[in-house]
Amino acid sequence: MNIQKVKKRIFLPVKQNYERKLHNLNYLFFELTHRCNLECVHCGSDCVRNDTVPDLPKEKIIEVLKEIKEHQDSKKVMIVLSGGEPTIYPDVWKLGREIYDLEFPWGMVTNGFSWTKHTIADAKKARMHSVTVSLDGLEENHNWLRGHPESFKKAKKAIEMLVEDPFWKAMDVITCVNRKNIHELDDIREMLMKMGVKKWRFFTISPIGRAVENKDLFLDEAQFKRLMKKILYYKKIGGIKVNYSESGYLGCYEHKVRSHDFFCRAGINVSGVMVNGDILACPNNNRDFRQGNVFEDSFMDVWENKYEIFRNRNWMKKGGCKNCPEWRMCKGGAFHLWEPGSDSIKLCPYKEFNLKEE
């Protein structure tokens, strides 16, 4: 092991522990709705077209943001509207404009299905800062994953319209890599580059929500390593900026397929308010890890005085994590892969895919 890796193994955990103590909030999700215009086979929230769960009221969202603004610089807290599909939420653009008027940057992850030129005009008036569109394969496989025969065409059109408009400060495409589309990555890359996309992110499926029972969604060891090597190759040849998402500790691929080292920031710098008001850390976390509810509690009081389960993760040092040599670098992996009372993490990429130093 070279001197730089030795230094990183010593000092990176120290730096991350310091960030846990500071716990500066800089990323906040609002789960606006459980309703969606698609029925994706990999959905982590089990959202459906006609969900009966009431939407999160706009007035409560603004109330929470005003409280946050009283305690810290709103310009340094990115607000992400999620769902379900956030564009289904009534008056979503009016909400976005109110968020902007409070001086918070804001954006959303969307399936792109309902986007038109009018949608883009509304988003611009609302001063939306960033937008991420999901594109999960070429037409057949994207439509399979998204559960609608028109989904690919609509997502592709949305991307084309967004790329053509210089307004967006941050725009990227995210792809869920699975067994059906992993062989299409080169073709997807070529298509995105022709469209003018500058940034492309990848993520792999976690065993949560509807995904659990579908084996076609999960890569095996050879496929996962193939993905890692593809990302390294794309980084080398350039043309489009690529990154792998924060899905777990990657051992020998750390700081190679991502622009940073693994650090699960759920509850450390990232928080989330769920559709029923529950204060969590990110939308993919098990809901039983709730720390309060905005209909009953002060958000900032919860943020400052709770969240210990997220910030001190020694309770995760059990099962396969107990004697793991990478514990200091990983600290239990991605939080959304844990359940309350569980003896071990649901999926450890480092061990599952044998990602030790080569």
Side-chain angles (χ1 to χ4, degrees), residues 65-86:
L65 293 177
K66 286 180 177 178
E67 182 189 1
I68 294 171
K69 189 175 175 66
E70 291 176 358
H71 292 83
Q72 61 185 90
D73 186 352
S74 59
K75 295 177 183 177
K76 296 181 179 180
V77 184
M78 179 68 190
I79 306 303
V80 179
L81 304 182
S82 71
E85 168 57 32

mmCIF file of all heavy atoms in Angstrom, residues 65-86:
data_model
loop_
_atom_site.group_PDB
_atom_site.id
_atom_site.type_symbol
_atom_site.label_atom_id
_atom_site.label_comp_id
_atom_site.label_asym_id
_atom_site.label_seq_id
_atom_site.Cartn_x
_atom_site.Cartn_y
_atom_site.Cartn_z
ATOM 1 N N LEU A 65 -39.179 25.234 6.104
ATOM 2 C CA LEU A 65 -38.091 25.987 5.480
ATOM 3 C C LEU A 65 -37.867 27.329 6.178
ATOM 4 O O LEU A 65 -36.715 27.771 6.349
ATOM 5 C CB LEU A 65 -38.378 26.194 3.997
ATOM 6 C CG LEU A 65 -38.361 24.921 3.138
ATOM 7 C CD1 LEU A 65 -38.724 25.242 1.702
ATOM 8 C CD2 LEU A 65 -37.008 24.229 3.197
ATOM 9 N N LYS A 66 -38.922 27.988 6.584
ATOM 10 C CA LYS A 66 -38.773 29.244 7.309
ATOM 11 C C LYS A 66 -38.060 29.017 8.645
ATOM 12 O O LYS A 66 -37.234 29.839 9.070
ATOM 13 C CB LYS A 66 -40.139 29.889 7.538
ATOM 14 C CG LYS A 66 -40.738 30.501 6.281
ATOM 15 C CD LYS A 66 -42.098 31.131 6.556
ATOM 16 C CE LYS A 66 -42.655 31.820 5.305
ATOM 17 N NZ LYS A 66 -44.003 32.401 5.540
ATOM 18 N N GLU A 67 -38.366 27.904 9.284
ATOM 19 C CA GLU A 67 -37.685 27.581 10.540
ATOM 20 C C GLU A 67 -36.195 27.346 10.306
ATOM 21 O O GLU A 67 -35.349 27.841 11.056
ATOM 22 C CB GLU A 67 -38.316 26.345 11.177
ATOM 23 C CG GLU A 67 -37.669 25.982 12.513
ATOM 24 C CD GLU A 67 -38.132 24.648 13.053
ATOM 25 O OE1 GLU A 67 -38.943 23.975 12.382
ATOM 26 O OE2 GLU A 67 -37.656 24.278 14.151
ATOM 27 N N ILE A 68 -35.872 26.608 9.254
ATOM 28 C CA ILE A 68 -34.469 26.349 8.935
ATOM 29 C C ILE A 68 -33.742 27.658 8.637
ATOM 30 O O ILE A 68 -32.619 27.889 9.102
ATOM 31 C CB ILE A 68 -34.358 25.386 7.740
ATOM 32 C CG1 ILE A 68 -34.903 24.004 8.113
ATOM 33 C CG2 ILE A 68 -32.912 25.275 7.261
ATOM 34 C CD1 ILE A 68 -35.035 23.056 6.943
ATOM 35 N N LYS A 69 -34.397 28.537 7.904
ATOM 36 C CA LYS A 69 -33.787 29.805 7.504
ATOM 37 C C LYS A 69 -33.448 30.677 8.718
ATOM 38 O O LYS A 69 -32.501 31.479 8.689
ATOM 39 C CB LYS A 69 -34.713 30.551 6.556
ATOM 40 C CG LYS A 69 -34.112 31.794 5.904
ATOM 41 C CD LYS A 69 -35.072 32.384 4.896
ATOM 42 C CE LYS A 69 -34.551 33.700 4.330
ATOM 43 N NZ LYS A 69 -33.327 33.509 3.532
ATOM 44 N N GLU A 70 -34.180 30.515 9.794
ATOM 45 C CA GLU A 70 -33.895 31.276 11.012
ATOM 46 C C GLU A 70 -32.594 30.842 11.675
ATOM 47 O O GLU A 70 -32.003 31.591 12.462
ATOM 48 C CB GLU A 70 -35.042 31.109 12.016
ATOM 49 C CG GLU A 70 -36.342 31.789 11.597
ATOM 50 C CD GLU A 70 -37.456 31.510 12.585
ATOM 51 O OE1 GLU A 70 -37.224 30.768 13.562
ATOM 52 O OE2 GLU A 70 -38.572 32.027 12.369
ATOM 53 N N HIS A 71 -32.123 29.631 11.340
ATOM 54 C CA HIS A 71 -30.963 29.071 12.032
ATOM 55 C C HIS A 71 -29.716 28.974 11.169
ATOM 56 O O HIS A 71 -28.608 28.850 11.699
ATOM 57 C CB HIS A 71 -31.301 27.680 12.579
ATOM 58 C CG HIS A 71 -32.304 27.693 13.684
ATOM 59 N ND1 HIS A 71 -33.670 27.754 13.447
ATOM 60 C CD2 HIS A 71 -32.147 27.691 15.031
ATOM 61 C CE1 HIS A 71 -34.312 27.758 14.607
ATOM 62 N NE2 HIS A 71 -33.424 27.725 15.578
ATOM 63 N N GLN A 72 -29.872 28.972 9.859
ATOM 64 C CA GLN A 72 -28.694 28.840 9.022
ATOM 65 C C GLN A 72 -28.904 29.463 7.642
ATOM 66 O O GLN A 72 -30.020 29.848 7.290
ATOM 67 C CB GLN A 72 -28.266 27.393 8.900
ATOM 68 C CG GLN A 72 -29.266 26.440 8.284
ATOM 69 C CD GLN A 72 -28.743 25.016 8.339
ATOM 70 O OE1 GLN A 72 -28.972 24.305 9.295
ATOM 71 N NE2 GLN A 72 -28.036 24.619 7.289
ATOM 72 N N ASP A 73 -27.825 29.553 6.892
ATOM 73 C CA ASP A 73 -27.833 30.187 5.582
ATOM 74 C C ASP A 73 -28.608 29.318 4.598
ATOM 75 O O ASP A 73 -28.160 28.228 4.227
ATOM 76 C CB ASP A 73 -26.398 30.386 5.111
ATOM 77 C CG ASP A 73 -26.310 31.177 3.813
ATOM 78 O OD1 ASP A 73 -27.364 31.446 3.204
ATOM 79 O OD2 ASP A 73 -25.187 31.510 3.400
ATOM 80 N N SER A 74 -29.765 29.805 4.171
ATOM 81 C CA SER A 74 -30.618 29.009 3.284
ATOM 82 C C SER A 74 -29.941 28.736 1.943
ATOM 83 O O SER A 74 -30.230 27.725 1.294
ATOM 84 C CB SER A 74 -31.948 29.725 3.050
ATOM 85 O OG SER A 74 -31.748 31.001 2.469
ATOM 86 N N LYS A 75 -29.037 29.593 1.526
ATOM 87 C CA LYS A 75 -28.368 29.416 0.238
ATOM 88 C C LYS A 75 -27.460 28.192 0.216
ATOM 89 O O LYS A 75 -27.030 27.753 -0.850
ATOM 90 C CB LYS A 75 -27.571 30.666 -0.108
ATOM 91 C CG LYS A 75 -28.438 31.895 -0.339
ATOM 92 C CD LYS A 75 -27.604 33.131 -0.599
ATOM 93 C CE LYS A 75 -28.499 34.367 -0.757
ATOM 94 N NZ LYS A 75 -27.696 35.599 -0.949
ATOM 95 N N LYS A 76 -27.166 27.650 1.393
ATOM 96 C CA LYS A 76 -26.275 26.493 1.490
ATOM 97 C C LYS A 76 -27.029 25.187 1.734
ATOM 98 O O LYS A 76 -26.414 24.159 2.015
ATOM 99 C CB LYS A 76 -25.254 26.721 2.604
ATOM 100 C CG LYS A 76 -24.320 27.889 2.329
ATOM 101 C CD LYS A 76 -23.297 28.063 3.447
ATOM 102 C CE LYS A 76 -22.353 29.226 3.151
ATOM 103 N NZ LYS A 76 -21.352 29.412 4.232
ATOM 104 N N VAL A 77 -28.354 25.241 1.639
ATOM 105 C CA VAL A 77 -29.173 24.036 1.841
ATOM 106 C C VAL A 77 -29.925 23.732 0.553
ATOM 107 O O VAL A 77 -30.842 24.458 0.162
ATOM 108 C CB VAL A 77 -30.166 24.208 3.001
ATOM 109 C CG1 VAL A 77 -30.927 22.894 3.237
ATOM 110 C CG2 VAL A 77 -29.456 24.648 4.268
ATOM 111 N N MET A 78 -29.549 22.664 -0.114
ATOM 112 C CA MET A 78 -30.207 22.252 -1.354
ATOM 113 C C MET A 78 -31.508 21.516 -1.034
ATOM 114 O O MET A 78 -31.510 20.546 -0.255
ATOM 115 C CB MET A 78 -29.280 21.339 -2.158
ATOM 116 C CG MET A 78 -29.876 20.844 -3.463
ATOM 117 S SD MET A 78 -30.092 22.197 -4.643
ATOM 118 C CE MET A 78 -31.063 21.378 -5.912
ATOM 119 N N ILE A 79 -32.594 21.953 -1.624
ATOM 120 C CA ILE A 79 -33.901 21.322 -1.414
ATOM 121 C C ILE A 79 -34.212 20.440 -2.625
ATOM 122 O O ILE A 79 -34.145 20.896 -3.771
ATOM 123 C CB ILE A 79 -35.010 22.369 -1.244
ATOM 124 C CG1 ILE A 79 -34.654 23.358 -0.130
ATOM 125 C CG2 ILE A 79 -36.347 21.680 -0.968
ATOM 126 C CD1 ILE A 79 -34.397 22.725 1.220
ATOM 127 N N VAL A 80 -34.557 19.191 -2.359
ATOM 128 C CA VAL A 80 -34.889 18.250 -3.426
ATOM 129 C C VAL A 80 -36.336 17.794 -3.242
ATOM 130 O O VAL A 80 -36.703 17.279 -2.186
ATOM 131 C CB VAL A 80 -33.948 17.030 -3.414
ATOM 132 C CG1 VAL A 80 -34.333 16.059 -4.529
ATOM 133 C CG2 VAL A 80 -32.497 17.471 -3.566
ATOM 134 N N LEU A 81 -37.147 17.993 -4.273
ATOM 135 C CA LEU A 81 -38.537 17.551 -4.253
ATOM 136 C C LEU A 81 -38.612 16.163 -4.875
ATOM 137 O O LEU A 81 -38.158 15.947 -5.992
ATOM 138 C CB LEU A 81 -39.417 18.534 -5.024
ATOM 139 C CG LEU A 81 -39.345 19.995 -4.549
ATOM 140 C CD1 LEU A 81 -40.297 20.857 -5.356
ATOM 141 C CD2 LEU A 81 -39.647 20.105 -3.057
ATOM 142 N N SER A 82 -39.181 15.227 -4.116
ATOM 143 C CA SER A 82 -39.229 13.841 -4.584
ATOM 144 C C SER A 82 -40.629 13.281 -4.411
ATOM 145 O O SER A 82 -41.546 13.972 -3.998
ATOM 146 C CB SER A 82 -38.189 12.991 -3.833
ATOM 147 O OG SER A 82 -38.578 12.799 -2.486
ATOM 148 N N GLY A 83 -40.772 12.006 -4.702
ATOM 149 C CA GLY A 83 -42.072 11.369 -4.571
ATOM 150 C C GLY A 83 -41.899 9.874 -4.463
ATOM 151 O O GLY A 83 -40.919 9.414 -3.881
ATOM 152 N N GLY A 84 -42.801 9.168 -5.141
ATOM 153 C CA GLY A 84 -43.654 9.494 -6.238
ATOM 154 C C GLY A 84 -42.972 10.342 -7.315
ATOM 155 O O GLY A 84 -41.788 10.485 -7.380
ATOM 156 N N GLU A 85 -43.794 10.843 -8.199
ATOM 157 C CA GLU A 85 -43.325 11.746 -9.239
ATOM 158 C C GLU A 85 -43.682 13.174 -8.830
ATOM 159 O O GLU A 85 -44.871 13.521 -8.724
ATOM 160 C CB GLU A 85 -43.951 11.394 -10.588
ATOM 161 C CG GLU A 85 -43.768 12.425 -11.677
ATOM 162 C CD GLU A 85 -42.312 12.776 -11.964
ATOM 163 O OE1 GLU A 85 -41.442 11.884 -11.822
ATOM 164 O OE2 GLU A 85 -42.043 13.936 -12.330
ATOM 165 N N PRO A 86 -42.681 14.028 -8.556
ATOM 166 C CA PRO A 86 -42.962 15.359 -8.016
ATOM 167 C C PRO A 86 -43.796 16.253 -8.917
ATOM 168 O O PRO A 86 -44.527 17.115 -8.425
ATOM 169 C CB PRO A 86 -41.566 15.953 -7.786
ATOM 170 C CG PRO A 86 -40.631 15.114 -8.587
ATOM 171 C CD PRO A 86 -41.239 13.756 -8.646
#
